[in-house]
Amino acid sequence: MSQRTYNQLWAAAQSELSRLLAEELLDKPPRPEKDRVVFFQRLAMLFVRYIQIFRQLEKCYDQMVHPQKRRFIRSVLDSVMGRVLELKHEMVEKEFSEYHYMDDLLQDLKLTPVDLEVPIPRYFLSECSKEVQERKAMLADIFKMVEVTETPNPLMAKKMSQEEAVKIIQVAERARQGRKRAELKMKILNMNWIDRLKEPGAESLELAAMCIQKVWRGYIQRKRAKIAREEQMISLEMIMAPKYQVPLPAEITAQAIEASTRVKQVAYEEAYQKAIVDVTNQLREIEGDDMSNRTKAQIQQWFIECCNATGAFPDYPEEEDGGSALIFAEKTPQQLLEEIAAKKEEEANTKPKGKEEKKEKGKRDRKKEDKEVEEAGLKMLPSAFLSDLDARNKAYADVWHNRNEDGNFIQMHDMELIKEEQRKVIEMEIRAKVDVQMRQELAEWKLAVDKDKGGKMKANAKKKKGSKSGTKKKGSKSGTKKKKEKDLTADRTLESLCQELVEQGLLKQANNIRLKDYLGDFNYLGTTLRQNDIEPMPSLSDVRQVIALYAVLPLGSQEVHEKAPLIKSILLVGPTGVGKKMLVHAVCHETGACLFDLSPLNTAGKYPGKSGLAMMLHMVFKVARLMQPSVIWIEDAEKMFYKKIPKEEKELDPKRLKKDLPKFLKLIKGEDRILIIGTTRDPQCAEIKSLCKMFNKIILIPRPDYGSRYILWKQLIQKHGGEVTKALDLSSLAKISDGYASGHIVQAIQSVVTKPRVIHQAKRPLTAAEFVTPLSKIDPVFQEEEEALKSWYAKTPLGKKRIKAASGKEEEEEEPAKGKSAKKKGKK
């Protein structure tokens, strides 16, 4: 698409965003909604509409070349991502479920499931800072230097019984006899062929010609019938035409244009940075002196006006309050003095209040509580991104909405915008310098006036007050000092720490896996089932969505991670083969995160003792902060919280991280893009309370449903080089593989679709029967195992809330809880 098309797409996204903000930022807050279903429908509608804006802005940011537009779109895109995450968390709190089914909304809005897919912004990987790129390159060099290979198991004589040995000998002997029989058969066939080469008679020639004609005519007729049937199916739109199955020339051209656009973005960005430097130097030389003199004159005029109005010179605003920037606000000198006096009064009124004031405050609090009880219902939670979105929407209307760009065909940077931005920057620099000079000048004016009035006593009184306040400040600083954490590796470089962690196997290289490779179909009946009081099992597409929202988006954007609801840890629960490990590697690949492995089996025997354990965790979290974004993976997380350690694992000490790891988890803050992901297939053997305290989010991953299995069979067979023909009944394969996980299907395909089989599939197409034998050798996910995981999940905090909400007990319990809290407050 052209740049004009992307500009129109951006304008459409901004207009939809302005409509959404008008609905959310009302003058009067809406009344609380008592109906939970209606409130959730409103949240879901907002979520879907913000996802549409998110998809449009991401596409614009990826393909537009105008550097200033891209910067603005990036800020709006981050805020929209944050708002999407806020709505997701609010939906979880209101519906008490990590999975939400919006098939009814898609039908109402005339959208497809693809439109609801959360996109992964491509700038997560393409626009890393130079420091991050250097660290990644350093880490790649370390991986090349340190060959982290699993040591092969030593060759040992395997003990076998006499029966096993006899079976092996029998198999070998039968194979030898079979080869001999095949050789004899080939010799007999060759002898018969030599006999046939003798001169045939006239009758045999006619029979041979008739046989050839019969075979050939049958072949031609079958081919014509096949072509006619395919044409009929294409005309009925039952199958796709072959020309659409292969990439069209237009698609190839579009991909080439996208690649050239990204190259152009880099060139335009470099030109923009050079223009900023040139314009800044030019403005500093031409307008710098005028700005400085103008600022000084305005400040001096303010001194005189304040002196005339109040009879004394004002106090100069502190740097923390903005310095002289307060002076240039649209306020009179009297208003500024009143604001400064009000601030001083607030600071002075920090003393403890008397009994009467406490009683009045208690009465006010009770009145507020009564109002809250009267207005009981569901309300929208406060947002950290709506104010930013509103400000940027107004900035778009002021700067970009009606901007004339008829002459900017190539979409280069706008020099006038650069001048406006850099003037503000230069004004701030000059104002900081002028403030220092004017503070000194104001002090000289005050001294001169005091000398004329003979106000020496006042000066002495001011000195005394200043000395008292100085002592208080010192005391307050000493009282609020916090103990700094000891850096156990202060004398070591980042490179040496990374090398040691790689050698110990704690820092690993993530596999090249995209989140979209986690295949799965949309759940088309989720809402219908819930309306009939049947809790549906989530599809693999729902799992992919949740991982994108909880893990990928916060780790990819620093602004989103700082302001959005903080998720420090996630636990992936599911049977063997559902793709838990694959999701961990996909999160690392999509965000460019470093992968640390603190699994109990991986840390066994490494850094022994308490001091060694403290050193290991310190090194891991220090490197994770320096190399962020980072993912700390704990495989078999249930081993850390065993109820009873099995005898064979006592030597490994799997619970050694149980006490110390939660302490390091508490130290993760909003600015630290670190995520702990645990995976488990047997959570029943762990203490559920400690496990739930450790992980903020618990995501249950089921085995794939019919739609997901059909997509898995089709796409994975094609990925391994197989052809999906009529002989291959994918529907039957998806049906008979019910109960098998995604990993089991992958194993079956890898064992059947080999290189020799791919070569021979032109003569002998793939059939469904070939996949039955390898599937039968794999143990499926039995229903008892899945039911056990469901019952365990029902004991988690969110699972309990979901059960109460489904039974209608939650509303009944809320009322007595409010009554108890009111009684307790009354007693106090």
Side-chain angles (χ1 to χ4, degrees):
M1 291 192 292
S2 64
Q3 293 297 309
R4 184 177 182 180
T5 307
Y6 287 114
N7 284 327
Q8 292 173 354
L9 186 64
W10 178 31
Q14 287 290 158
S15 62
E16 176 64 16
L17 180 61
S18 63
R19 285 193 289 270
L20 270 176
L21 291 173
E23 292 178 15
E24 290 208 76
L25 298 173
L26 299 173
D27 296 333
K28 294 181 180 179
R31 290 184 176 180
E33 181 62 53
K34 295 182 179 180
D35 191 346
R36 189 177 291 274
V37 176
V38 174
F39 187 77
F40 178 79
Q41 285 292 322
R42 184 189 172 197
L43 286 176
M45 182 66 76
L46 288 173
F47 179 79
V48 173
R49 291 172 69 184
Y50 271 112
I51 286 288
Q52 302 311 304
I53 297 171
F54 180 17
R55 293 177 66 85
Q56 292 174 341
L57 291 176
E58 197 278 328
K59 193 181 294 182
C60 293
Y61 183 74
D62 183 59
Q63 286 301 308
M64 291 179 76
V65 296
H66 197 295
Q68 290 156 307
K69 288 180 181 178
R70 295 185 78 244
R71 271 174 169 69
F72 184 83
I73 292 171
R74 168 73 180 272
S75 63
V76 180
L77 180 61
D78 286 342
S79 298
V80 169
M81 273 195 288
R83 185 60 185 148
V84 167
L85 293 180
E86 286 179 340
L87 289 171
K88 170 64 179 176
H89 284 271
E90 195 163 355
M91 287 160 67
V92 171
E93 289 185 4
K94 298 301 182 289
E95 203 178 29
F96 309 116
S97 176
E98 299 291 353
Y99 300 105
H100 315 291
Y101 305 102
M102 304 177 189
D103 43 296
D104 55 339
L105 279 178
L106 293 182
Q107 190 175 359
D108 295 340
L109 297 173
K110 308 299 181 187
L111 298 174
T112 63
V114 178
D115 297 324
L116 196 60
E117 190 77 22
V118 176
I120 308 297
R122 278 158 276 197
Y123 77 83
F124 284 176
L125 295 176
S126 61
E127 296 187 9
C128 297
S129 63
K130 289 184 178 179
E131 294 180 0
V132 175
Q133 290 176 0
E134 290 173 0
R135 288 172 181 172
K136 299 295 180 187
M138 178 261 294
L139 194 59
D141 294 337
I142 291 173
F143 279 122
K144 288 179 182 177
M145 289 170 57
V146 182
E147 296 180 357
V148 187
T149 56
E150 294 181 1
T151 55
N153 294 325
L155 295 172
M156 296 178 68
K158 185 181 176 182
K159 294 181 179 180
M160 68 172 66
S161 62
Q162 187 177 357
E163 292 179 358
E164 291 176 346
V166 169
K167 283 182 181 179
I168 291 171
I169 294 169
Q170 285 177 346
V171 168
E173 179 59 24
R174 285 168 185 162
R176 187 189 67 79
Q177 291 178 7
R179 287 192 294 271
K180 289 293 182 181
R181 288 195 199 96
E183 288 177 7
L184 288 171
K185 270 192 175 183
M186 287 301 297
K187 285 180 182 179
I188 293 167
L189 286 172
N190 290 334
M191 293 296 293
N192 291 337
W193 182 253
I194 291 167
D195 294 338
R196 289 174 190 171
L197 288 176
K198 294 178 182 179
E199 293 182 1
E203 294 180 358
S204 59
L205 287 172
E206 288 180 4
L207 290 171
M210 287 173 64
C211 184
I212 293 169
Q213 287 175 355
K214 184 180 178 181
V215 172
W216 176 250
R217 285 170 182 169
Y219 170 75
I220 290 295
Q221 191 60 35
R222 285 192 298 272
K223 195 171 182 180
R224 287 173 182 168
K226 183 180 178 182
I227 293 169
R229 180 171 176 77
E230 287 180 355
E231 289 176 354
Q232 185 182 10
M233 296 296 283
I234 290 168
S235 64
L236 294 172
E237 296 184 356
M238 297 294 290
I239 61 173
M240 190 180 290
K243 64 179 181 179
Y244 297 117
Q245 295 176 2
V246 181
L248 297 174
E251 292 180 2
I252 297 169
T253 306
Q255 291 173 1
I257 291 171
E258 288 182 1
S260 64
T261 300
R262 293 188 181 95
V263 174
K264 195 182 289 185
Q265 286 174 357
V266 176
Y268 280 22
E269 181 65 25
E270 291 176 357
Y272 174 64
Q273 294 297 334
K274 289 179 182 178
I276 289 175
V277 175
D278 296 339
V279 169
T280 304
N281 294 333
Q282 188 179 1
L283 289 174
R284 204 175 269 123
E285 291 176 3
I286 296 172
E287 302 181 11
D289 294 336
D290 293 339
M291 287 182 185
S292 179
N293 295 330
R294 194 187 313 119
T295 306
K296 287 180 182 178
Q298 289 175 347
I299 295 172
Q300 289 171 351
Q301 182 66 26
W302 181 70
F303 291 163
I304 295 168
E305 289 177 1
C306 288
C307 185
N308 293 335
T310 61
F313 288 111
D315 294 331
Y316 206 90
E318 298 293 334
E319 290 182 7
E320 298 173 355
D321 299 330
S324 59
L326 285 175
I327 299 169
F328 300 114
E330 296 180 358
K331 294 176 183 177
T332 62
Q334 191 67 30
Q335 287 175 340
L336 284 172
L337 291 171
E338 287 176 1
E339 284 185 3
I340 294 168
K343 285 183 181 178
K344 289 182 179 178
E345 286 179 6
E346 287 179 2
E347 292 175 0
N349 291 334
T350 55
K351 297 177 182 179
K353 298 180 179 180
K355 292 182 180 178
E356 295 178 359
E357 291 179 353
K358 286 183 179 179
K359 287 180 180 178
E360 290 178 2
K361 190 180 178 182
K363 290 178 182 178
R364 291 172 189 169
D365 293 340
R366 286 175 190 172
K367 288 179 181 179
K368 288 180 181 178
E369 286 174 8
D370 294 337
K371 287 181 180 178
E372 288 177 0
V373 171
E374 289 174 3
E375 298 179 359
L378 299 171
K379 298 179 182 179
M380 296 281 286
L381 296 176
S383 171
F385 293 95
L386 279 178
S387 57
D388 296 339
L389 282 172
D390 189 37
R392 284 157 187 165
N393 190 48
K394 290 176 182 176
Y396 170 79
D398 296 339
V399 178
W400 296 108
H401 183 55
N402 295 319
R403 198 169 193 83
N404 187 7
E405 289 190 310
D406 292 339
N408 193 6
F409 295 108
I410 58 174
Q411 292 291 292
M412 286 288 285
H413 53 265
D414 193 329
M415 293 299 292
E416 292 301 321
L417 284 176
I418 295 176
K419 288 179 181 178
E420 290 177 12
E421 292 172 359
Q422 294 308 307
R423 275 196 186 97
K424 295 176 183 177
V425 174
I426 293 170
E427 282 179 3
M428 293 297 293
E429 293 176 359
I430 291 173
R431 183 176 290 124
K433 295 178 182 178
V434 169
D435 283 352
V436 176
Q437 298 174 5
M438 297 311 294
R439 279 194 184 90
Q440 188 175 357
E441 187 174 336
L442 179 62
E444 292 174 358
W445 284 18
K446 284 183 178 180
L447 285 173
V449 171
D450 289 342
K451 284 180 182 178
D452 293 341
K453 291 182 178 180
K456 291 182 180 179
M457 297 299 290
K458 291 182 180 179
N460 292 332
K462 285 182 181 179
K463 284 181 183 178
K464 287 180 182 179
K465 287 180 182 179
S467 63
K468 286 180 182 178
S469 62
T471 54
K472 283 182 182 178
K473 284 181 181 177
K474 287 179 184 177
S476 62
K477 283 182 183 177
S478 62
T480 56
K481 278 185 180 178
K482 294 182 180 180
K483 292 182 179 179
K484 294 183 178 179
E485 296 176 18
K486 290 183 179 179
D487 191 354
L488 303 177
T489 56
D491 56 338
R492 296 186 60 180
T493 61
L494 176 62
E495 187 175 357
S496 66
L497 291 173
C498 289
Q499 188 169 351
E500 182 177 342
L501 290 175
V502 172
E503 289 173 351
Q504 293 292 332
L506 299 177
L507 179 55
K508 295 184 176 180
Q509 195 166 13
N511 297 334
N512 188 7
I513 298 172
R514 302 292 300 274
L515 192 61
K516 65 180 181 182
D517 295 336
Y518 190 78
L519 303 173
D521 197 12
F522 185 75
N523 196 332
Y524 297 95
L525 296 173
T527 307
T528 307
L529 291 172
R530 276 193 172 172
Q531 287 173 354
N532 294 319
D533 296 331
I534 300 171
E535 185 62 26
M537 286 300 289
S539 67
L540 298 188
S541 173
D542 298 326
V543 176
R544 186 172 64 239
Q545 293 280 85
V546 170
I547 294 298
L549 290 168
Y550 285 165
V552 178
L553 296 186
L555 283 179
S557 174
Q558 183 69 37
E559 183 181 353
V560 173
H561 195 273
E562 288 179 0
K563 293 185 178 181
L566 184 60
I567 296 176
K568 299 181 181 181
S569 54
I570 299 173
L571 180 65
L572 304 180
V573 183
T576 306
V578 293
K580 300 184 291 296
K581 184 177 178 181
M582 179 183 179
L583 287 172
V584 173
H585 285 274
V587 170
C588 295
H589 178 73
E590 293 288 1
T591 58
C594 298
L595 179 62
F596 298 85
D597 189 358
L598 286 182
S599 305
L601 295 179
N602 189 44
T603 57
K606 298 172 184 177
Y607 297 95
K610 289 185 179 180
S611 59
L613 180 61
M615 175 63 75
M616 180 181 71
L617 291 174
H618 169 76
M619 288 171 61
V620 167
F621 277 87
K622 181 180 179 180
V623 175
R625 282 190 175 90
L626 294 173
M627 300 284 290
Q628 58 180 291
S630 300
V631 171
I632 299 174
W633 176 36
I634 304 173
E635 189 178 14
D636 297 330
E638 78 280 358
K639 295 180 185 290
M640 284 175 52
F641 306 99
Y642 264 143
K643 295 176 183 175
K644 185 178 180 182
I645 302 175
K647 292 180 180 179
E648 60 272 12
E649 294 185 17
K650 281 187 177 179
E651 295 181 359
L652 303 176
D653 192 14
K655 296 175 70 172
R656 64 189 299 229
L657 293 174
K658 181 181 177 180
K659 293 182 179 179
D660 294 336
L661 190 59
K663 294 177 183 177
F664 280 87
L665 180 66
K666 290 178 182 178
L667 300 176
I668 297 175
K669 298 177 182 178
E671 60 269 15
D672 302 325
R673 285 189 290 164
I674 301 172
L675 181 65
I676 298 176
I677 302 180
T679 58
T680 176
R681 58 185 176 182
D682 189 17
Q684 296 93 337
C685 62
E687 298 172 359
I688 190 167
K689 287 185 179 179
S690 52
L691 193 67
C692 293
K693 284 181 182 178
M694 176 70 191
F695 295 99
N696 302 129
K697 295 289 181 180
I698 299 175
I699 299 171
L700 183 63
I701 305 176
R703 54 186 174 82
D705 55 3
Y706 174 82
S708 298
R709 292 196 301 274
Y710 188 91
I711 290 175
L712 282 166
W713 281 112
K714 184 178 180 180
Q715 296 198 18
L716 290 176
I717 287 172
Q718 291 175 343
K719 185 179 179 181
H720 285 80
E723 292 183 5
V724 178
T725 60
K726 291 181 181 178
L728 182 59
D729 191 354
L730 291 176
S731 181
S732 298
L733 273 178
K735 188 68 177 174
I736 64 171
S737 57
D738 187 12
Y740 288 93
S742 309
H744 301 153
I745 294 173
V746 172
Q747 290 178 25
I749 291 171
Q750 287 175 348
S751 62
V752 173
V753 188
T754 58
K755 287 184 179 180
R757 186 66 186 86
V758 170
I759 294 169
H760 291 94
Q761 66 180 345
K763 296 179 181 178
R764 188 164 56 91
L766 290 169
T767 59
E770 296 180 60
F771 297 93
V772 175
T773 304
L775 264 182
S776 63
K777 297 178 181 178
I778 302 171
D779 291 332
V781 179
F782 294 103
Q783 191 173 1
E784 292 80 3
E785 183 180 355
E786 191 170 9
E787 291 298 328
L789 289 174
K790 283 184 187 179
S791 60
W792 176 86
Y793 186 77
K795 297 175 184 176
T796 61
L798 194 64
K800 289 178 181 177
K801 290 180 181 178
R802 179 67 191 167
I803 293 171
K804 287 180 182 178
S807 59
K809 292 180 180 178
E810 189 199 2
E811 295 179 359
E812 296 175 4
E813 290 181 1
E814 281 180 358
E815 293 177 0
K818 287 179 182 177
K820 287 178 183 177
S821 62
K823 285 180 183 178
K824 286 180 182 178
K825 287 177 182 175
K827 286 179 183 179
K828 287 179 182 178

